[in-house]
Amino acid sequence: MSEPVVVRPAIAIVDDPRFDAHEDPTGPHPECPERLTAAREGLYGTLPTSERLVVPAREVSEAELTRVHRSDYLDKLRERLRDSGGHLDPDTYFCRGTREAAWLAAGGAVDLARTLVSGQATQGFALLRPPGHHAVPSRSMGFCLLNNVALAASAALDAGLSRVAIVDWDVHHGNGTQDAFYADPRVLFCSLHQYPFYPGTGAPHEIGRGPGTGFTCNVALPAGCGPETYGAAFRELLLPMLTSYAPELVLVSAGFDAHARDPLASMRLDSASYGAMAGSLLELAQSLGHGRVGFVLEGGYDLAALADGTAAVARSLRGERIELPDGKLHAAARLAIDATKQQLKPYWPALAA
Ligand SMILES: [Zn+2]
């Protein structure tokens, strides 16, 4: 008797060697090409070739870019990137390979969203650099030039969806993504981040503006939070809101810098936490009847944590499920979650229970 053959649906993967040409010309930088090597190791080491649907990266078009970014910013950026290298802000370097890498990363994120919307695959992971979630419509900042995840969400809206959720578990607040959709109820943006911390935004009272009021959720966590706090935030805030919102696509700004080993931040997540958070979102998407979840790489500066974190997400994409972490919260972590709940309760009856 031979083993039954399990046919798994393919996972869409965006990757391109040209992302590696984006490198600080002045010396070592935490946002380095080795990050992607580590993420590839984690993802490809877990996901067999037969389970991958390769989505080639291609340069984002001007029409796609201007759904999020201002034309005058794009003109200035292109002009600046003609130089052989330098800095766009104190944190954000560029080199000769940056223009192409950034445009390919953004185009790859857009095509990941399109692939999921079209049904060619239901889940995917975009392994890309430079990251994007700090890039605001009119400015690059914090290692980010173009907002990949925001461009992916806007492409999904353009393709006909009316509700997209973005869950940002990078340790830094996704200020650029928040800015892009702050007044737009078609995107529910949820960020869990260390606070106060770079970039300074992401307070609980930042909940959106005009018709977008109530569609931005900031879980502003004190330094030192671990798996139990992220588990509680998912159970008490994110999952009830997402269930009520019923997004047609879930995008994840997947940074791995809330890991205990990360050199830039001070959270205490372990690799299993990333698998648990990913699994809970995959389960939610399945319960909504479509299963569509796309992960887009953001930060994460410890190479081993990055490899382990992406491997944990890949295992959840292969069907492994880990319970969200549980346990007693520090008083400051409890206060932080309650503060967000208090702000959003008027807009989400599911949080009132
Ligand atoms: Zn980050």
Side-chain angles (χ1 to χ4, degrees), residues 219-306:
V219 190
L221 299 169
C225 286
E228 67 290 343
T229 304
Y230 281 75
F234 265 70
R235 270 193 306 272
E236 297 178 30
L237 286 167
L238 269 65
L239 294 176
M241 284 174 69
L242 289 165
T243 304
S244 309
Y245 186 66
E248 299 154 291
L249 168 67
V250 178
L251 294 170
V252 181
S253 262
F256 295 88
D257 41 8
H259 193 283
R261 295 174 56 123
D262 194 84
L264 300 192
S266 316
M267 292 308 205
R268 293 188 294 107
L269 288 191
D270 52 16
S271 309
S273 310
Y274 289 106
M277 293 192 293
S280 74
L281 295 175
L282 290 163
E283 211 161 83
L284 167 101
Q286 265 138 14
S287 77
L288 295 171
H290 54 68
R292 288 196 283 256
V293 184
F295 298 85
V296 178
L297 185 65
E298 300 284 359
Y301 305 97
D302 179 88
L303 300 179
L306 199 45

